[in-house]
Structures are given as C-alpha cells and as structure tokens.
C-alpha cells in the first residue's frame, strides 16, 4: 500500500477547469489512466501530472502524437535525441526550439534537480535543469555542480528566475509568513521527495534557522512534483508546501514568496554536446523566446541566456 494521492472525476474536472463529461471522455480515450474503487472512478495524481505535462508539450510543439505518419516517424528515428531533465514547463518551450534548429528530437525526463545532476554525471542526460540553494553561500546551483561534476568541463546558463515559497490555502488562514512558522502547532506540511530543489531549499532553511525536522508535522510525507504538493493542499491533506508561484496560481492557492531562485541549465562540454550548447545559448538569448516564456507569467527573464559559470 502507498500513500499516493488520487482524485475523483469531479476533483480532476475542478483541477483542469473542465466539465466532468470532458474528463470521462479523456478517460474513455485512454488519455488519462483511471481505476475503480467500488463504483467510483479515480485518477492517480502521478497520472494526472503526466497528462498535464503531455498537454503542455503538445501545446508548445503544435503536434499531437497520433498526427505523425510513418514517414515522419522514420525521420524522427534518424534524429539525434537530446534528453532534457527537469519539471518546469519552460523546458517544453526550450525543447520545441531545439527541434527547430537542427536534426534533433527533444526528450524529457521529470527527475528532481539532484537526481538529474547525478544522472548527468553517469552520462544519462544532455541538459539538466537545477534550482538548488546552498545555505552556506546563499548561491544557487554552482556549489552543487562543482561538487558533483568533478573532472568534467561544463557550462551553467540561466533559464529563468522565479519565486519560491509557501503554497497555502486561500486567505492564508494559518498566517504562515516565515520558515519558523512551520513549527506552529497543528501545521501540516507536504514535503517534496529527497533530491528535489524544493526539498533542498527546505533542508537548508531548516539548518540555517536551527529548526529540527521533528518539530514539523508531516515532514516525512512527500510528493514528487509541485503540482502534487499543491493538490494535497487543495484537498485539505496538508496546510502548506514548498513550491513556486506559477503552480500555486494554477490550482487557486495563495502563495507566500520567501526567496527568488535561479533556475539554471547545465551542459557538459564534449564533442557530441558542443552544437547543442551553442544552440541552447542562442535560443535563450533570442528576444522572441524570452517573450514567449514571459507570456506564461510568473517568470523573470532578465538574466535568461546569461552564462552563470563556465569551466576554463
């Protein structure tokens, strides 16, 4: 048995802001997996996350998987695969523009920051997105990359900046405004999985503020995405979670900003990746791409495309 969150059809409809009939149709067509508990149909949170991520990718590429014919499939098979790791929807925009620039097929994996960086160390990813806060330096990402990608040459480039903080119920009924407020009696946290950027931010802030894990109710409970954490708050299973402004607004929660985090990309220098590095840098410095990202709302693109760190 697991503690994975699942939703009724009505809850899925509310989260997607569509009718229940639309949800039933999506389930019938196999686009959203479901299961039954008695007579009630339910959808796992992870399956809903995957559906939303897929729709975002479909929207940004303008293509539906079923629309490709055999010739197109053959062309795709001959393309060089570029694996991008991370969860933010801005990565779908990046993938779309990479495919426009050459003979590439952008693929996605949705691992958290630390696990993605470790996968890059093992040679399993081409582009990794990071938002890892180092409490000793107050810096994002660079201290972690230096420690993990030992012996590699690499470039770290800014994708966006965004606000991170508390996702809470509308009206912030528990009046949560600082990290120390997590110690309040009966405040239930929904945590993120170990290795995620949100989990690292929380861990570092607890260390800086001398807060013990044992003082926080629900610290051991974890979900694997910002959306899943937000959904647990919407459903009343938690009072607070660490997340980003964009997701809080998507599901109708209030957001308490606590830090501006730098969301960066890291790419290793090698013969296979050199062209991709140049393409990514060019894409992110293009004004129209910055405008496209900014149109999503809640992203700061003032440093998008700037090289944050590059090994000599």
């Amino acid at each position: 048995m697991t503690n994975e969150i699942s939703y009724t059809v009505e809850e899925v409809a509310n989260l997607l802001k569509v009718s229940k009939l639309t949800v039933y149709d999506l389930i019938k067509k196999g686009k959203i997996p479901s299961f039954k508990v008695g007579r009630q149909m339910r959808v796992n949170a992870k399956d809903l996350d995957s559906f939303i991520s897929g729709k975002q990718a479909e929207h940004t590429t303008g293509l539906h998987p079923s629309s490709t014919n055999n010739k197109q499939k053959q062309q795709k098979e001959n393309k060089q695969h570029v694996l991008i790791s991370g969860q933010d929807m801005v990565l779908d925009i990046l993938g779309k523009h990479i495919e426009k620039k050459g003979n590439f097929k952008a693929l996605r994996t949705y691992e958290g920051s630390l696990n993605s960086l470790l996968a890059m160390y093992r040679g399993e990813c081409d582009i990794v997105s990071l938002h890892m806060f180092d409490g000793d330096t107050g810096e994002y990402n660079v201290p972690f990359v230096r420690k993990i990608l030992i012996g590699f040459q690499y470039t770290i480039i800014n994708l966006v900046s965004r606000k991170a903080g508390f996702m809470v119920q509308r009206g912030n009924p528990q009046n949560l405004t600082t990290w120390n407020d997590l110690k309040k009696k009966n405040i239930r946290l929904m945590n993120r999985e170990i290795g995620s950027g949100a989990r690292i931010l929380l861990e570092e802030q607890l260390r800086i503020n001398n807060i013990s894990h044992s003082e926080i109710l629900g610290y051991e409970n974890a979900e694997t995405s910002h959306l899943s954490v937000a959904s647990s708050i919407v459903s009343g299973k938690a009072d607070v979670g660490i997340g980003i402004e964009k997701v809080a607004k998507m599901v109708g929660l209030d957001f308490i900003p606590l830090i501006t985090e730098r969301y960066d990309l890291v790419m290793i220098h090698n013969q296979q990746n050199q062209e991709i590095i140049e393409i990514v840098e060019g894409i992110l410095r293009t004004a129209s791409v910055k405008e496209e990202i900014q149109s999503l709302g809640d992203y700061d693109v003032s440093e998008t495309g700037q090289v944050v760190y590059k090994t000599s």
Side-chain angles (χ1 to χ4, degrees), residues 67-110:
S67 67
T68 57
N69 55 31
N70 290 335
K71 183 177 179 180
Q72 289 172 320
K73 288 179 180 178
Q74 182 63 41
Q75 290 173 339
K76 285 183 179 180
E77 288 174 0
N78 295 330
K79 290 186 176 183
Q80 178 183 335
H81 288 174
V82 178
L83 186 57
I84 305 172
S85 186
Q87 297 183 354
D88 200 287
M89 63 179 65
V90 176
L91 297 170
D92 293 314
I93 293 177
L94 175 64
K96 175 189 70 174
H97 285 283
I98 287 174
E99 291 185 345
K100 288 181 177 180
K101 291 291 183 178
N103 191 39
F104 300 105
K105 173 62 181 173
L107 304 176
R108 290 288 306 281
T109 180
Y110 297 92

Side-chain angles (χ1 to χ4, degrees), residues 168-173 233 248-249 251-255:
V168 298
Q169 293 283 356
R170 295 294 293 271
N172 190 13
I233 299 167
K249 288 183 177 180
V251 298
L253 294 174
D254 276 3
F255 179 75

Side-chain angles (χ1 to χ4, degrees), residues 38-312:
R39 294 185 178 181
Q40 188 183 68
M41 193 171 289
R42 300 189 69 88
V43 174
N44 276 329
K46 287 183 179 179
D47 290 329
L48 183 59
D49 288 353
S50 298
F51 171 75
I52 292 172
S53 298
K55 291 301 288 182
Q56 176 64 29
E58 175 186 327
H59 173 72
T60 55
T61 60
L63 294 173
H64 189 281
S66 63
S67 67
T68 57
N69 55 31
N70 290 335
K71 183 177 179 180
Q72 289 172 320
K73 288 179 180 178
Q74 182 63 41
Q75 290 173 339
K76 285 183 179 180
E77 288 174 0
N78 295 330
K79 290 186 176 183
Q80 178 183 335
H81 288 174
V82 178
L83 186 57
I84 305 172
S85 186
Q87 297 183 354
D88 200 287
M89 63 179 65
V90 176
L91 297 170
D92 293 314
I93 293 177
L94 175 64
K96 175 189 70 174
H97 285 283
I98 287 174
E99 291 185 345
K100 288 181 177 180
K101 291 291 183 178
N103 191 39
F104 300 105
K105 173 62 181 173
L107 304 176
R108 290 288 306 281
T109 180
Y110 297 92
E111 291 287 343
S113 292
L114 183 57
N115 289 335
S116 294
L117 193 56
L118 292 171
M120 174 166 274
Y121 180 83
R122 296 191 298 267
E124 297 169 2
C125 294
D126 301 295
I127 302 172
V128 163
S129 61
L130 306 172
H131 59 111
M132 295 192 290
F133 175 75
D134 178 58
D136 292 328
T137 63
E139 189 176 4
Y140 266 90
N141 303 324
V142 176
F144 293 90
V145 178
R146 282 174 171 168
K147 291 175 183 176
I148 293 174
L149 294 187
I150 297 172
F152 289 92
Q153 300 294 308
Y154 51 83
T155 292
I156 303 174
I157 187 169
N158 180 248
L159 181 59
V160 292
S161 293
R162 60 189 193 182
K163 298 290 185 182
F166 293 156
M167 298 187 291
V168 298
Q169 293 283 356
R170 295 294 293 271
N172 190 13
Q174 286 85 12
N175 192 29
L176 304 177
T177 58
T178 70
W179 296 103
N180 280 293
D181 288 336
L182 295 175
K183 297 188 297 182
K184 286 183 176 181
K185 188 177 180 181
N186 297 326
I187 297 299
R188 300 165 300 162
L189 171 74
M190 180 57 72
N191 211 343
R192 281 291 303 278
E193 81 279 11
I194 293 173
S196 67
R199 177 71 169 248
I200 291 170
L201 174 61
L202 175 63
E203 296 283 2
E204 289 292 85
Q205 293 296 340
L206 295 183
R207 180 172 65 85
I208 292 169
N209 290 281
N210 296 312
I211 302 171
S212 171
H213 301 164
S214 62
E215 297 179 81
I216 302 176
L217 183 64
Y219 175 84
E220 300 299 330
N221 299 329
E223 289 290 345
T224 57
S225 72
H226 289 300
L227 182 61
S228 293
V229 171
S231 298
S232 71
I233 299 167
V234 170
S235 66
K237 295 180 180 179
D239 300 303
V240 60
I242 312 304
I244 59 173
E245 188 172 13
K246 182 70 177 177
V247 172
K249 288 183 177 180
M250 283 174 60
V251 298
L253 294 174
D254 276 3
F255 179 75
I256 312 301
L258 296 174
I259 194 169
T260 298
E261 62 178 19
R262 203 180 64 227
Y263 194 57
D264 296 330
L265 304 176
V266 59
M267 295 166 284
I268 288 176
H269 300 171
N270 56 39
Q271 187 173 358
Q272 293 78 19
N273 282 0
Q274 192 55 46
E275 184 180 4
I276 285 295
I277 293 172
E278 294 173 2
I279 286 173
V280 169
E281 289 183 1
I283 288 170
L284 296 181
R285 290 170 183 162
T286 304
S288 60
V289 174
K290 292 183 181 182
E291 290 172 3
E292 186 176 355
I293 294 170
Q294 201 163 27
S295 70
L296 297 173
D298 306 309
Y299 293 106
D300 180 353
V301 297
S302 60
E303 297 182 0
T304 297
Q306 292 186 19
V307 173
V308 174
Y309 184 86
K310 187 175 185 177
T311 54
S312 55

